[in-house]
Amino acid sequence: MTETAAAQGQTLRQLGPTVYLPSAVYSTGIGAVAPVIVLTATGLGASPAVAAIVAGLLGLGQISGSLPAGVLISRVGERRTMLAAAGLAIPALICCMLAPNVLLLGAAVALLGVCGSAWALSRHAYLTEAVRPELRARAMSTLGGVGRIGTFTGPFLGAAAMHLAGLDGAYLVAITGVGLATVVLIVSPPVPHDRAVPAGTERPGLWTVIRANQHTLRTLGVGVLLVGALRASRQTIVPLWGVSLGLDPATIGLIYGVSGGIDMLLFYPAGKLMDRYGRRWAAVPAMALLGAAHALLPLATGAFGLTAAALLMGLGNGLSAGLVMTLGADASPAAGRAEFLGAWRLCSDIGQGGGPLLIGAVTAVASLTAAAITVGGAGLLAAVLLHRWIKPPPRYE
């Protein structure tokens, strides 16, 4: 990207075909299987606790992929990294669909997490440099929003497909979505920054970047870790609670999709709120709402109660659209940006992997009710930490 382009930045409309469209299609495909992984595991004979652990392997895959993805992006560019991620995601989905046992299913889910991490980090790294700082939160929340569009439409498409082909239908929707996203990415012109760093350019090493930014990662990064845990817990506990209530898979998928609809409606207002008033105005209430929704989940004794709790989760999650990416972009250094963002995403991914694992562990030791209350407490702690460590953004004329 030229210096002039970097100074002026790109508008959200200009970013639509090359950045937001392929991400929306990819997210739609993955959204179709997000609530189905737990159901696939239980269908293979896993207990609710083991099923939660299998779902948590998606986050563990993201954890293992974050740092290597940052290094890869700095060397080969965002576009090639995304193509490699999509090329591995399709066989991972096929393996999930055909897995004969829980062990193979878990391995495929972990690989899917690695691919998702590389895809998401590529878009994050590009947007950090491509948009004007005063539009940053809106650009990031829009990227988060297209993911929420996928979360909204994917489960509905998956539920419809499951009526025709059982659980395999959801995986077929996902395979189609990832394949279409790959095609869109291939036929679209490369975005200006999609290129590797020229040979001979001095780059700081990964661990040098991490050491230089360790204070930010130890403080605000912990808050971001809890944000990831709350978001991932929601994806696991809603299907599990539906199973415990005896609801059928299609109904659970619909409830999950309705919750995603709230996410879809709030992403742009959330970004505008952060750009105009500061990041705290979205971060603190979002985590408080997510925590409260989990804590109230034990009161849900039927489909109506579960839907109400899921809607409250969707409200909190939608209000936090783009939050982690915006905070990471704000804190990222000019030198070693991709490596820093990989470490930043690692904080969030540890939370995303740990959230379902926490649910599985507490459920195994105590009960699903205890797990919901525990995650609710984590949401309130996240709100406190984010209020403490988020700095007011600079004002732009």
Side-chain angles (χ1 to χ4, degrees):
M1 187 163 57
T2 66
E3 293 182 4
T4 301
Q8 294 177 349
Q10 295 191 54
T11 66
L12 302 190
R13 186 183 300 275
Q14 291 171 323
L15 295 169
T18 55
V19 176
Y20 295 134
L21 179 58
S23 295
V25 177
Y26 185 96
S27 298
T28 299
I30 300 302
V33 299
V36 175
I37 292 173
V38 167
L39 304 178
T40 302
T42 56
L44 291 173
S47 66
V50 173
I53 292 174
V54 171
L57 292 174
L58 185 68
L60 291 180
Q62 292 174 341
I63 290 171
S64 64
S66 296
L67 293 180
V71 175
L72 185 63
I73 290 166
S74 71
R75 283 160 173 73
V76 305
E78 295 95 347
R79 186 184 181 90
R80 291 180 180 176
T81 301
M82 293 174 73
L83 289 172
L88 287 175
I90 291 176
L93 287 165
I94 294 173
C95 189
C96 287
M97 181 175 64
L98 302 178
N101 54 61
V102 175
L103 183 62
L104 188 57
L105 173 65
V109 169
L111 178 58
L112 195 61
V114 173
C115 298
S117 178
W119 180 284
L121 186 59
S122 297
R123 297 296 77 180
H124 186 192
Y126 170 68
L127 284 181
T128 298
E129 296 188 358
V131 298
R132 299 192 302 272
E134 64 269 25
L135 292 175
R136 176 174 288 163
R138 273 166 282 186
M140 298 297 181
S141 67
T142 300
L143 182 60
V146 299
R148 282 146 174 80
I149 292 173
T151 301
F152 176 74
T153 58
F156 283 103
L157 293 174
M162 282 190 287
H163 277 296
L164 300 175
L167 291 180
D168 288 353
Y171 290 105
L172 292 174
V173 170
I175 291 167
T176 302
V178 174
L180 288 175
T182 305
V183 171
V184 172
L185 189 63
I186 291 173
V187 302
S188 298
V191 292
H193 188 61
D194 267 346
R195 62 176 186 272
V197 176
T201 301
E202 183 177 353
R203 289 181 298 228
L206 172 62
W207 300 113
T208 299
V209 173
I210 291 176
R211 284 193 298 268
N213 296 275
Q214 59 182 311
H215 177 72
T216 299
L217 296 173
R218 285 201 313 259
T219 53
L220 190 55
V222 175
V224 166
L225 184 151
L226 292 175
V227 172
L230 266 291
R231 288 174 168 175
S233 297
R234 156 182 171 269
Q235 295 176 350
T236 302
I237 204 165
V238 169
L240 282 178
W241 204 272
V243 170
S244 71
L245 295 176
L247 303 179
D248 61 88
T251 299
I252 295 172
L254 288 173
I255 292 173
Y256 192 93
V258 169
S259 176
I262 302 297
D263 288 357
M264 183 181 66
L265 293 174
L266 289 178
F267 71 86
Y268 190 79
K272 191 170 184 179
L273 180 68
M274 285 189 283
D275 275 333
R276 179 168 295 183
Y277 298 106
R279 315 322 189 195
R280 287 178 180 170
W281 285 84
V284 175
M287 292 305 101
L289 285 171
L290 272 173
H294 281 82
L296 293 173
L297 193 57
L299 300 179
T301 57
F304 179 80
L306 180 59
T307 301
L311 287 174
L312 188 59
M313 291 180 189
L315 179 62
N317 204 47
L319 193 58
S320 69
L323 173 65
V324 172
M325 291 185 290
T326 301
L327 294 176
D330 290 343
S332 63
R337 176 165 282 134
E339 288 85 352
F340 171 83
L341 292 177
W344 180 259
R345 183 173 177 84
L346 177 63
C347 295
S348 176
D349 287 344
I350 288 174
Q352 290 187 29
L357 293 176
L358 176 63
I359 291 175
V362 176
T363 300
V365 173
S367 66
L368 191 58
T369 296
I373 295 173
T374 300
V375 176
L380 298 179
L381 177 60
V384 171
L385 292 179
L386 291 174
H387 183 272
R388 169 67 179 83
W389 293 111
I390 292 177
K391 297 179 181 180
R395 294 190 175 274
Y396 303 100
E397 299 297 336

